[in-house]
Amino acid sequence: MYFMENQKFEQLVESYLKWKYAYEPGFASYLGLSSYDSLTGSFSPESRHNALINLYNFKSQAQNILTYDLNADNKIDKIFLLRDIELYLLRIEHMKHWEKNPQIYLDEALDGINTLMLKSFRPLEYTAEMILKKMESIPQLFREAKDNLVKCPPVFLRVSSQTALCGIEFMDTIKDIYGKISPAFEEDFKKASMKAREAISDFAFFLKTMEPGEEQSFATGKEIFSHLVRTGYMIDKDLDELLETGETCFASISEKLTELGARLDPDRSWYEIYRELKQENPGPSGVLRMYLDYMNDARDFLIKNDIVTVPSDIILDVTETPAFIRPLIPVASYLSPGPYDEVQKGLFWVTPLPEGLSDEEIIKLTGEHNIYTAKVTAPHEAYPGHHLQLCMANRLKSPLRRIVHSNIFVEGWGLYCEEMMKEVGYLKGTKLELSQQVDQLMRAARVIIDIRLHTLGMNIEEAKSFLRDIVLVSAGTAEVEVNRYTMTPTQPMSYMLGQIEILKLREDFKKLKGSSFTLKNFHDSMLQCGSSPVKIMRHIILGEELE
C-alpha cells in the first residue's frame, strides 16, 4: 500500500505538471522546456472551462491519496500541489484577471518572446524560428483579449496602454534583429512583425476607447486577499494583525532612520542627508558596471567569510531592462534562470533613464542608482539573495518544488539578506546603514499600502502620496510602484513579512543547535528547501508538525 500510494501520487504530479505546462506554455518555456517554446497560451472560454475541469479533477485525486502512506518528500509535495491548484482556482473563478487586466495578454505576447531572446545559449536560428511562431500567434491572442475584457480598472488601462506602445516598438526591434539572420527569415519576419504591430496597435486603440470600470475595481477585497495570504504564504494571521505588524515596523524603522541621521548630522533630517547621499552615483554611463562590481564583491565576501555555500557554476549578467516592461520596473529587477536551462545564468535588469527628461529629473532619477543603494541591492538581488537562492531551488530533486515558488520566502529572503549582510559587517558604516534602513522602510510601507489598497479602500492617489510624502520616494517611482501593487495583491507585503518569518526561524534554529549553530549551516539548510513557505521550512528544518 505504501509503495502504491507513493507511485500513484508521483504519477499524479507528473500528469499535473504536463497540464500546467500546456496551459501556461510561456512559463514552461521560461523553465527551459524547449518543446513549449513556440506555443502561446489561450484565454478563450473553452480553455478556461477545460482548465477548471482539470483542476477540480486533480484536486479530487490528490485529496483521495492517503497522506499517511506517503514518504516525507511526497507529503510536502502534496501540500505544494494542493496549494498550486487552489491558487489557480482562485485566480480563474474569483479574481478573473482574464476579464479585468489587459496586461496579462501583453505579458503573454511580449514576455514569451523576450524569454527566448534571453536564452542566448540556444542556436540563433532555432531562437528565430520559435520567436517567429510566437509572433504569428499574437493576432489571435489579442482577439481573445478584446472578447474577454470588460470594464477594466482605469489603472490597468493606463499601465497596459503604456506597455502596448512599448510592445509596438519591440516588434520592430525583433524584426530588425532576427529578420537579418538569413534571407530565408527576412520576409517571414517582415510579415509577422507587421501583423503583430497591427494587432497590438488595434489593442491599444481598443483600450483607449473601452468603457473603464470603477476607479477602485482593482481591489481584491478582504476575502480574496485573506485567501491569497493563507494559501500562498501559509500565514494564518488576520489582516488587522498583519497591518499592525507593518505599522509597527514602519514606526520602528522611522525612529532608527532619525537616529542614524542625527549620527551623521544632528542639524538635518535623515531624508535631507539621504538625498545628498543619492548624489554620489556613477552617472548613467556607469550604472551597469557599478552593480556588477558590487555583486561580485558580495559573492567574494560570502565565500571568504564562510557565510553560505556558493557554487561556482552559477552566472549572473547585468543588463538594461527590456523596453516593454519598463512601465512596471522603475529602478531594477532580477530574472532567474529556469531549472531546466542548460546554463544557469541569471539576469539583473537595470532600468535606464527615459528620454526627454529635464536636467533636474535626470539628477533625481540617477540618484536612485547611488553607490549606497547599489551596495545594499547587491546582497538582495544577487549574492546571497535571489540569484543564489533561486539557482539552488533549481537543483531540487522534486520537479514540483523546483517550479512552484512562494513570495513569502523568495522576497523575504532577499530582504533578510540585506539585514544579515549588515550584521556580518559587509554593509559597514552609518551611510550604508542609513541606505539599508531606507530600503527596510519601503518594505514596511508596502505591507501597509498593500492591505489598505486591496481591503480598506485606500485609493491610488493616497497610496502614491504615502510613498512620496512619508516614505519620500520620487513621484515617478511612487507611480510605478503603486501601479504594480494594484496588479499584484499580497506580493508587496511579502518582503517584510517574509523577513520577519525567517528571522524567527533563525532564532529557533539557533536554540535547537546551541553551540553548534553557524550561519552557514542555517543558510544552507534553508536553501535546500527551495522557495517553500517558511511554515514548511520550519517543518523540514525544525521538525515542527504541519497541520
Side-chain angles (χ1 to χ4, degrees):
M1 185 67 174
Y2 176 85
F3 173 78
M4 289 179 62
E5 286 297 284
N6 280 285
Q7 185 180 50
K8 188 195 303 184
F9 177 75
E10 288 161 14
Q11 289 171 346
L12 175 62
V13 169
E14 184 178 354
S15 297
Y16 176 74
L17 290 178
K18 284 181 180 178
W19 170 82
K20 183 181 177 78
Y21 299 150
Y23 184 66
E24 293 190 88
F27 175 63
S29 177
Y30 153 72
L31 294 175
L33 298 168
S34 58
S35 59
Y36 297 89
D37 283 347
S38 65
L39 305 178
T40 298
S42 173
F43 295 86
S44 68
E46 182 183 8
S47 175
R48 295 195 305 273
H49 176 71
N50 289 338
L52 289 173
I53 291 173
N54 280 297
L55 286 165
Y56 277 110
N57 183 37
F58 286 128
K59 182 178 179 179
S60 175
Q61 289 184 67
Q63 289 173 332
N64 287 333
I65 291 174
L66 298 174
T67 303
Y68 180 83
D69 287 330
L70 296 178
N71 63 40
D73 282 338
N74 283 341
K75 283 177 181 176
I76 294 171
D77 277 1
K78 182 178 176 182
I79 295 171
F80 267 76
L81 176 61
L82 288 170
R83 281 177 57 249
D84 203 47
I85 291 170
E86 199 62 37
L87 289 171
Y88 267 123
L89 292 172
L90 191 63
R91 288 193 292 266
I92 296 172
E93 292 187 303
H94 301 288
M95 299 178 75
K96 298 185 178 181
H97 288 321
W98 47 270
E99 184 180 88
K100 294 175 59 176
N101 193 353
Q103 188 69 31
I104 66 169
Y105 299 94
L106 290 158
D107 288 346
E108 184 69 27
L110 306 178
D111 277 353
I113 293 174
N114 189 60
T115 293
L116 291 170
M117 292 176 69
L118 295 175
K119 295 182 187 293
S120 56
F121 46 83
R122 300 263 179 83
L124 193 58
E125 291 77 10
Y126 169 83
T127 300
E129 185 180 349
M130 296 300 103
I131 288 175
L132 183 61
K133 289 181 178 178
K134 278 190 172 290
M135 288 179 75
E136 290 169 346
S137 70
I138 285 176
Q140 173 59 29
L141 177 66
F142 287 111
R143 282 194 288 271
E144 290 178 5
K146 290 192 292 182
D147 287 341
N148 291 339
L149 293 167
V150 56
K151 291 193 173 181
C152 304
V155 62
F156 291 2
L157 292 174
R158 290 193 294 271
V159 173
S160 300
S161 295
Q162 290 176 356
T163 304
L165 294 177
C166 294
I168 294 168
E169 294 180 11
F170 187 48
M171 291 301 107
D172 290 335
T173 302
I174 297 300
K175 178 193 69 177
D176 292 341
I177 294 173
Y178 292 97
K180 295 176 181 176
I181 291 175
S182 72
F185 280 124
E186 188 171 3
E187 190 60 30
D188 288 339
F189 267 99
K190 188 176 179 180
K191 289 179 182 176
S193 172
M194 182 180 69
K195 290 181 179 179
R197 284 180 99 267
E198 288 175 354
I200 299 173
S201 298
D202 180 61
F203 186 58
F205 180 76
F206 170 79
L207 297 179
K208 187 177 179 180
T209 56
M210 79 177 298
E211 182 183 355
E214 296 292 326
E215 194 68 40
Q216 287 295 111
S217 58
F218 65 84
T220 62
K222 288 184 179 181
E223 185 177 349
I224 291 175
F225 195 94
S226 297
H227 196 163
L228 287 170
V229 172
R230 287 193 309 271
T231 305
Y233 300 160
M234 298 183 72
I235 292 177
D236 297 323
K237 297 176 182 176
D238 63 39
L239 297 185
D240 289 341
E241 191 174 352
L242 295 177
L243 179 59
E244 184 180 356
T245 297
E247 290 172 338
T248 300
C249 289
F250 191 87
S252 174
I253 296 163
S254 296
E255 288 179 12
K256 181 67 175 177
L257 282 167
T258 300
E259 176 196 324
L260 291 167
R263 206 185 298 169
L264 289 167
D265 187 341
D267 296 325
R268 293 190 297 166
S269 68
W270 70 262
Y271 178 66
E272 290 174 300
I273 297 168
Y274 180 61
R275 187 167 54 186
E276 186 177 277
L277 295 181
K278 291 172 82 170
Q279 295 175 23
E280 297 184 47
N281 62 74
S285 63
V287 167
L288 295 182
R289 180 79 251 175
M290 173 185 66
Y291 277 111
L292 185 59
D293 287 346
Y294 278 144
M295 288 172 179
N296 288 334
D297 184 48
R299 185 180 187 278
D300 292 343
F301 181 91
L302 293 167
I303 295 170
K304 180 181 178 181
N305 292 278
D306 212 26
I307 293 169
V308 65
T309 299
V310 182
S312 60
D313 58 345
I314 58 175
I315 306 165
L316 178 65
D317 275 357
V318 178
T319 187
E320 287 189 353
T321 306
F324 71 86
I325 204 169
R326 289 174 192 171
L328 290 173
I329 300 176
V331 181
S333 183
Y334 169 74
L335 182 71
S336 66
Y340 300 103
D341 280 339
E342 302 93 305
V343 178
Q344 289 295 286
K345 181 175 76 172
L347 292 170
F348 181 66
W349 284 340
V350 179
T351 302
L353 301 185
E355 294 180 1
L357 297 177
S358 66
D359 290 344
E360 183 181 351
E361 288 172 322
I362 290 173
I363 292 171
K364 184 179 290 186
L365 286 175
T366 304
E368 301 292 343
H369 299 293
N370 65 82
I371 62 174
Y372 302 103
T373 299
K375 187 157 186 176
V376 173
T377 298
H380 182 117
E381 299 289 354
Y383 303 102
H386 294 321
H387 182 53
L388 177 62
Q389 186 266 311
L390 290 167
C391 284
M392 295 302 292
N394 286 348
R395 301 177 181 217
L396 291 180
K397 178 183 175 183
S398 163
L400 190 60
R401 277 182 268 168
R402 271 186 230 145
I403 68 161
V404 177
H405 297 165
S406 177
N407 279 327
I408 198 69
F409 180 69
V410 174
E411 299 298 359
W413 171 258
L415 191 60
Y416 162 80
C417 288
E418 295 180 22
E419 182 70 17
M420 182 273 296
M421 289 291 266
K422 180 192 72 177
E423 294 172 355
V424 298
Y426 176 74
L427 301 175
K428 196 181 296 182
T430 307
K431 290 180 180 179
L432 272 171
E433 187 174 356
L434 181 75
S435 293
Q436 185 253 342
Q437 288 298 308
V438 169
D439 276 4
Q440 293 275 330
L441 187 73
M442 182 68 162
R443 277 28 178 255
R446 285 176 177 172
V447 179
I448 298 168
I449 296 172
D450 197 7
I451 295 172
R452 288 182 179 174
L453 264 178
H454 286 283
T455 73
L456 293 174
M458 174 184 262
N459 64 43
I460 289 170
E461 285 308 313
E462 288 169 338
K464 289 193 290 189
S465 176
F466 188 98
L467 289 179
R468 286 194 314 266
D469 302 338
I470 301 177
V471 187
L472 305 173
V473 304
S474 69
T477 297
E479 180 171 4
V480 177
E481 285 279 330
V482 173
N483 286 347
R484 181 168 67 83
Y485 302 168
T486 63
M487 294 186 179
T488 56
T490 75
Q491 192 275 346
M493 65 159 45
S494 64
Y495 301 77
M496 180 58 70
L497 298 181
Q499 176 183 246
I500 292 169
E501 296 264 325
I502 291 168
L503 287 169
K504 180 66 168 65
L505 173 57
R506 187 177 75 177
E507 179 185 327
D508 293 339
F509 185 77
K510 193 171 184 178
K511 290 176 183 176
L512 179 69
K513 293 295 182 180
S515 60
S516 67
F517 170 85
T518 66
L519 269 179
K520 184 177 184 179
N521 183 233
F522 173 65
H523 294 152
D524 287 353
S525 296
M526 278 198 299
L527 294 182
Q528 293 301 315
C529 297
S531 302
S532 305
V534 180
K535 187 171 184 177
I536 288 180
M537 291 189 175
R538 296 184 70 88
H539 167 70
I540 296 171
I541 295 172
L542 303 179
E544 291 185 356
E545 289 296 321
L546 285 169
E547 296 175 4

